[in-house]
């Protein structure tokens, strides 16, 4: 690293579970490192997400990796997420390789052979990033102890072992059982994998950190591995998510800024929580506006008091259309349109607002009648549109990105971001358009007029600046609540020597014999003796109050995972 050691260092952030905080911890470490003058890049070998992004080279990657690239202050590229899986049903996903779709595949078919064949590509991408950066911070997926999938793993211990990366396991203490999760995760790994697990990081802690010290000591004694930090529970981030909504769909309001509205009224936005909803991060820019309340809904009565209804993107346009009709939301949208009440369709949402859909690609449903709220006909093409369009609307410049198979034939209405507008029904394929500040303000003014609300957009809200503030807060969490000196050593020097084996280790893989299975080294089969907590090989976290462990106070930041 710059001024500190060799180039090409690395670290893998694994988790005890999905949503333990891997994405934001990775982003936080990237932001902390770049503030130290380190040239750093994020990486995730395989990502399963319906929230994606288009790079300037026209490659589709996970939106979380685009956010992490922003945290690292580098341009996102396909190298940072070589494999992206976009679920289309409970049993199949579209496989996106190096930013381009290569087909649909069942889970059984993928894990049965294709996934393992991609390991070489994943490792090559990682090594290319390491060759051009001081450090690469990798994010794992799910849990590294998913023993049923270990043989074909290309995102957790598979890539860590192939690249010789040290591993830091993140656990969400707010869920409970974090010590058992740390111990069990380690004990279910094969000896070769355990040798890479350097230690742990606790996420979302509430209260006095000193109360954790006995547990940290006992965990260290049981595993021989230290805890590198305790991140506090922090509120209000709104950082891009991968796999699900942080909020309940039952009328809960998405986290917003706390500033009061500028005008006399608030503006209420209801987002239809359609199946296979994709890029729901499109509404984050609205939630960042003072006085705009955003919630996700799935019942027609929840649209009654909404000033704006958004039909978001989806990986299943025809399925979402059927869902809207079955739930009674379709008829409510038609009533809104007839009454001149604002509706915005984005990407898949735009498609189902049209008159007709012909789909032999995504759903293979053939010809389907749309909601008929916009004069648009949709034909699904085999090739996916991946673009970064620039244009203007409502007198303001707009940037966005497109990710869709549906090709729109616009037959009328007023042009709107390569889509159209009829009355107060708006439709576009452009994701991310609401992040353009001037356009967003003009659009909200139009919505407020149509809704009869005395809502006034704040004149100075900058979504880009707010995102930078959020990423800086993530960097602050790492800097203030983790042992950053130890993290730097780990990134530069690799896994510590002498990490003990924690029995029983991974069970034999199906079809293997005892001769095929790797065994612990001499003496490793015994339960680990608690090492000296002050040794460099596996030191325990410094006590609260020490210069390297300043997390004795609460932190008024946001949720760290």
């Amino acid at each position: 690293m710059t001024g500190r050691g060799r180039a090409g260092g690395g670290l893998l952030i694994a988790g005890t579970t999905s949503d333990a905080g891997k994405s934001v911890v990775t982003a936080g470490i990237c932001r902390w490192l770049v503030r130290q003058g380190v040239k750093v890049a994020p990486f995730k070998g395989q990502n399963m997400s319906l929230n994606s992004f288009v790079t300037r080279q026209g490659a589709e990657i996970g939106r979380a990796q685009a956010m992490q690239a922003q945290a690292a202050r580098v341009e996102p590229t396909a190298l940072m997420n070589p494999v992206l899986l976009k679920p289309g049903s409970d049993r199949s996903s579209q496989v996106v390789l190096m930013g381009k779709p290569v087909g649909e595949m069942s889970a059984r078919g993928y894990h049965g052979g294709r996934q393992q064949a991609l390991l070489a590509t994943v490792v090559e991408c990682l090594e290319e990033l390491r060759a051009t950066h001081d450090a690469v911070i990798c994010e794992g997926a799910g849990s590294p102890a998913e023993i049923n999938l270990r043989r074909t793993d290309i995102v957790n211990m598979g890539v860590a072992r192939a690249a010789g990366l040290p591993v830091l396991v993140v656990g969400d203490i707010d869920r409970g059982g974090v010590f058992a999760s740390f111990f069990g995760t380690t004990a279910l790994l094969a000896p070769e994998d355990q040798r890479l697990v350097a230690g742990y990081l606790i996420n979302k802690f509430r209260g006095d950190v000193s109360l954790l010290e006995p547990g940290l000591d006992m965990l260290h004694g049981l595993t021989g591995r230290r805890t590198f930090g305790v991140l506090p529970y922090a509120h209000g981030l709104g950082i891009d998510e991968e796999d699900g909504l942080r909020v309940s769909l039952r009328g809960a309001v998405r986290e917003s800024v706390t500033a009061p509205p500028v005008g006399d009224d608030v503006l209420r936005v209801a987002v239809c929580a359609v199946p296979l909803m994709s890029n729901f991060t499109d509404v984050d820019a609205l939630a960042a506006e003072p006085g705009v309340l955003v919630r996700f809904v799935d019942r027609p009565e929840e649209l009654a008091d909404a000033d704006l209804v958004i039909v978001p993107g989806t990986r299943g346009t025809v399925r979402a259309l059927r869902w809207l009709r079955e739930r009674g939301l379709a008829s409510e949208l038609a009533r809104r349109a007839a009454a001149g009440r604002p509706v915005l369709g984005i990407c898949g949402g735009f498609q189902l607002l049209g008159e007709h859909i012909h789909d032999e690609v995504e759903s293979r449903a053939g010809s389907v009648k749309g909601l008929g709220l916009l004069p648009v006909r949709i034909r699904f093409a085999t090739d996916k549109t991946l673009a970064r369009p620039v244009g203007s609307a409502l007198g303001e410049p707009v940037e966005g990105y497109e990710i869709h198979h549906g090709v729109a034939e616009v037959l009328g209405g007023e042009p709107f971001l390569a889509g159209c507008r009829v009355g107060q029904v708006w439709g576009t394929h452009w994701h991310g358009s609401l992040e353009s500040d001037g356009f967003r303000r003009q659009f909200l003014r139009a919505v407020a007029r149509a809704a009869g609300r005395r809502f006034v957009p704040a004149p100075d809200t900058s979504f880009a600046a707010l995102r930078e503030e959020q990423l800086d807060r993530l960097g602050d969490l790492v800097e203030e609540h983790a042992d950053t000196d130890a993290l730097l050593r780990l990134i530069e020097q690799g896994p510590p020597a002498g990490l003990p084996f924690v029995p029983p280790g991974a069970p034999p893989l199906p079809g293997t014999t005892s001769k095929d299975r790797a065994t612990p080294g001499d003496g490793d089969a015994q339960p680990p003796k608690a090492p000296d907590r002050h040794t460099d090989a596996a030191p325990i976290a410094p006590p609260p109050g020490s210069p390297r462990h300043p997390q004795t106070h609460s932190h008024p930041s946001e949720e760290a995972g």
Side-chain angles (χ1 to χ4, degrees):
M1 291 185 190
T2 305
R4 285 189 174 266
R6 68 176 179 86
L11 176 66
L12 180 92
I13 305 299
T16 56
T17 64
S18 295
D19 201 32
K22 297 183 292 293
S23 294
V24 292
V25 168
T26 299
I29 293 176
C30 285
R31 177 49 60 100
W32 161 68
L33 283 173
V34 77
R35 294 194 310 206
Q36 312 308 308
V38 176
K39 186 179 180 182
V40 59
F43 178 80
K44 186 164 186 173
Q46 173 191 289
N47 194 352
M48 177 173 282
S49 178
L50 286 171
N51 279 343
S52 58
F53 182 77
V54 179
T55 71
R56 295 199 182 279
Q57 295 75 33
E60 184 179 8
I61 66 172
R63 189 163 171 105
Q65 279 60 68
M67 175 269 293
Q68 291 161 356
Q70 184 177 351
R73 295 178 180 151
V74 294
E75 188 68 29
T77 72
L79 291 173
M80 298 172 185
N81 180 206
V83 181
L84 173 63
L85 305 179
K86 303 193 72 174
S89 70
D90 293 339
R91 297 191 177 187
S92 68
S93 295
Q94 183 181 66
V95 180
V96 179
L97 178 62
M98 295 302 297
K100 303 297 181 182
V102 294
E104 297 280 334
M105 187 167 288
S106 69
R108 180 179 294 274
Y110 185 66
H111 290 287
R114 179 63 184 268
Q115 184 182 37
Q116 194 170 22
L118 294 173
L119 179 60
T121 299
V122 168
V123 174
E124 286 171 7
C125 291
L126 173 57
E127 291 308 312
E128 187 170 342
L129 287 173
R130 294 179 78 180
T132 54
H133 294 79
D134 298 331
V136 178
I137 307 303
C138 308
E139 179 187 346
S143 163
E146 291 170 350
I147 53 180
N148 57 315
L149 302 177
R150 176 61 186 89
R151 183 197 293 273
T152 56
D153 171 38
I154 65 171
V155 66
N156 290 308
M157 303 312 298
V159 70
R161 194 192 294 188
L165 294 175
V167 177
L168 191 65
V169 182
V170 176
D172 179 357
I173 198 169
D174 195 54
R175 295 184 175 190
V178 73
F179 293 116
S181 297
F182 283 145
F183 180 84
T185 296
T186 308
L188 276 176
L189 298 178
E192 294 82 1
D193 290 342
Q194 286 195 24
R195 293 185 188 118
L196 302 176
V197 177
Y200 314 109
L201 186 72
I202 290 179
N203 193 27
K204 297 186 186 177
F205 180 72
R206 307 171 190 249
D208 185 348
V209 175
S210 66
L211 298 176
L212 278 181
E213 289 299 311
L216 299 180
D217 286 340
M218 285 186 278
L219 181 66
H220 181 259
L222 287 166
T223 68
R225 290 158 174 85
R226 60 161 301 174
T227 298
F228 282 74
V230 179
L231 305 185
Y233 195 110
H235 299 273
L237 251 186
I239 287 292
D240 296 343
E241 301 167 88
E242 284 191 353
D243 301 320
L245 296 173
R246 183 186 302 125
V247 296
S248 163
L249 296 181
R250 191 55 62 203
V253 178
R254 188 173 176 84
E255 291 185 65
S256 314
V257 294
T258 57
V262 175
D264 294 331
D265 286 345
V266 298
L267 208 63
R268 293 174 172 83
V269 179
V271 184
C272 295
V274 296
L276 299 174
M277 180 165 45
S278 61
N279 287 69
F280 54 78
T281 49
D282 281 333
V283 303
D284 285 350
L286 295 180
E289 284 284 351
V292 177
L293 306 179
V294 180
R295 59 183 178 177
F296 292 86
V297 303
D298 59 0
R299 298 184 300 193
E301 58 268 26
E302 293 174 306
L303 304 186
D305 65 345
D307 302 305
L308 168 67
V309 174
I310 294 179
V311 188
T314 172
R315 250 282 276 159
T317 300
V318 172
R319 177 176 170 181
L321 185 61
R322 183 170 58 249
W323 181 87
L324 288 171
R325 286 175 170 143
E326 290 172 349
R327 295 238 167 190
L329 289 160
S331 56
E332 184 60 31
L333 288 171
R335 281 191 288 270
R336 288 184 65 88
R341 303 179 66 193
V343 175
L344 171 64
I346 302 175
C347 199
F350 165 47
Q351 295 169 6
L352 56 83
L353 293 180
E355 298 174 349
H356 182 268
I357 298 169
H358 186 78
D359 179 14
E360 298 289 356
V361 176
E362 189 177 77
S363 67
R364 297 180 175 85
S367 295
V368 178
K369 184 178 180 182
L371 296 182
L373 304 185
L374 289 175
V376 175
R377 289 178 172 268
I378 302 294
R379 176 186 56 83
F380 274 69
T382 302
D383 293 337
K384 179 185 284 190
T385 297
L386 297 170
R388 291 278 292 269
V390 176
S392 64
L394 303 180
E396 296 287 343
V398 187
E399 296 183 12
Y401 57 101
E402 294 185 64
I403 307 170
H404 54 90
H405 283 279
V407 178
E409 181 186 4
V410 179
L411 304 174
E414 179 183 343
F416 173 69
L417 297 180
C420 67
R421 170 190 179 185
V422 174
Q424 289 301 318
V425 180
W426 317 61
T428 178
H429 270 134
W430 292 21
H431 293 291
S433 62
L434 294 168
E435 295 179 17
S436 297
D437 297 328
F439 164 71
R440 182 180 64 253
R441 285 191 277 270
Q442 288 294 88
F443 178 69
L444 289 175
R445 290 189 183 100
V447 168
R449 285 194 300 269
R453 295 287 186 187
R454 292 177 296 175
F455 168 83
V456 178
D460 55 356
T461 300
S462 167
F463 185 74
L466 287 172
R467 176 53 54 88
E468 278 297 302
E469 290 175 11
Q470 292 167 336
L471 293 172
D472 275 331
R473 291 170 70 190
L474 281 180
D476 293 342
L477 283 176
V478 172
E479 185 170 352
E480 297 173 16
H481 301 279
D483 185 342
T484 52
D485 288 342
L487 278 177
L488 277 175
R489 287 197 300 272
L490 198 61
I491 294 167
E492 292 175 348
Q493 301 172 13
L499 292 171
F501 173 69
V502 180
L509 292 170
T512 62
T513 66
S514 59
K515 292 182 180 180
D516 300 322
R517 191 182 177 208
T519 57
D522 291 342
D524 282 345
Q526 300 301 318
K529 179 182 178 181
D532 183 347
R533 62 180 290 172
H534 300 294
T535 62
D536 288 336
I540 193 67
S546 70
R548 291 170 55 197
H549 201 315
Q551 66 263 35
T552 56
H553 56 82
S554 61
H555 191 279
S557 186
E558 66 189 326
E559 179 177 352

